[in-house]
Amino acid sequence: MELQSKILSKEILHHLYANGKTLGTAESCTGGRIAETIIAVPGASNYFKGGIVCYSDDVKIRLLNVSEQVLAEKTAVCEEVAVEMVKGACETLGCDYAIASTGIAGPGGGTPENPVGTIWIGYGSKDEVRTLKLTEDQGRDINLSVATIEALRLFLDFYKEKNPMVRDEEK
C-alpha cells in the first residue's frame, strides 16, 4: 500500500501545485497518517498547509467548529462530523481543500451502531464536501491504511472532476 499512497500523493502534488491550490487535513482516527503520506512526497510544502489531529471531541469543537449538538446526538463517528471537519479545516488552516477522517479503527471501542472498522472520510472544499463510509474491520493497521489510501484517492478523483486539466493535444 505504501507505493500506492506515494503515487496518489505525487499526483495530488502535481494537480494542486499546477493550479496554485492548497490542501489541509483534519484527522481523528487516522491520527495524522493522511498528512504524513502527503508530506512524504518532496514538494508538498508548495501546497500542503498543515493538519489538525483532533482525537478528542473538545479539539473538534474548538479548532474545527464541529457542532457540540451533533457530537452529543450522533457521536463523532458520523457523516455530519466528517463534513464539519472538512469545512472547519478549510477555515482554520486557510486552505482551498481538506480531507478528514473520523471513526473507530479498533481493536476496541466499537458499538452496535458503529462497530470497529466504521470510518467516515470527508473531502472537498468549504462549499462542497463529499463523504464515504468504510465499514469493514480488517484489524487496526489495515483499517488505518485503507482509510488513508481511500481518502487520498477520493480527494484526487474529486479534485480532477472539479478541475479537469487541459490535455496536450487540446492546446
Side-chain angles (χ1 to χ4, degrees):
M1 280 198 212
E2 187 175 328
L3 177 61
Q4 186 179 9
S5 66
K6 285 186 179 181
I7 291 168
L8 288 166
S9 293
K10 194 168 192 170
E11 193 171 349
I12 290 170
L13 165 84
H14 171 72
H15 284 280
L16 292 176
Y17 181 68
N19 291 302
K21 299 297 181 184
T22 57
L23 177 66
T25 58
E27 301 182 65
S28 187
C29 65
T30 51
R33 286 181 187 219
I34 297 168
E36 177 185 29
T37 302
I38 290 167
I39 63 104
V41 176
S45 60
N46 291 312
Y47 76 95
F48 185 66
K49 289 275 198 151
I52 297 170
V53 176
C54 49
Y55 224 60
S56 72
D57 288 352
D58 179 54
V59 174
K60 289 176 185 74
I61 293 164
R62 285 188 302 109
L63 296 183
L64 299 172
N65 297 315
V66 171
S67 165
E68 288 184 63
Q69 183 176 348
V70 170
L71 288 166
E73 291 174 4
K74 297 192 173 196
T75 78
V77 185
C78 69
E79 184 175 28
E80 292 85 347
V81 169
V83 168
E84 290 183 3
M85 288 171 67
V86 168
K87 291 179 178 183
C90 287
E91 179 68 29
T92 299
L93 298 170
C95 52
D96 299 304
Y97 300 97
I99 300 170
S101 65
T102 184
I104 304 166
T111 66
E113 298 80 25
N114 288 311
V116 171
T118 303
I119 299 173
W120 280 98
I121 297 168
Y123 54 97
S125 66
K126 63 180 176 58
D127 299 320
E128 182 179 358
V129 179
R130 295 184 186 168
T131 60
L132 176 76
K133 181 181 182 182
L134 301 174
T135 58
E136 192 171 338
D137 179 19
Q138 301 177 70
R140 183 177 183 85
D141 288 340
I142 294 175
N143 291 346
L144 294 172
S145 292
V146 167
T148 299
I149 295 289
E150 279 299 295
L152 295 170
R153 184 188 60 76
L154 290 164
F155 171 74
L156 181 59
D157 289 347
F158 170 83
Y159 184 82
K160 287 169 31 176
E161 174 190 321
K162 297 296 177 183
N163 303 279
M165 293 185 73
V166 178
R167 291 186 181 95
D168 288 334
E169 63 270 12
E170 294 174 354
K171 289 182 182 176

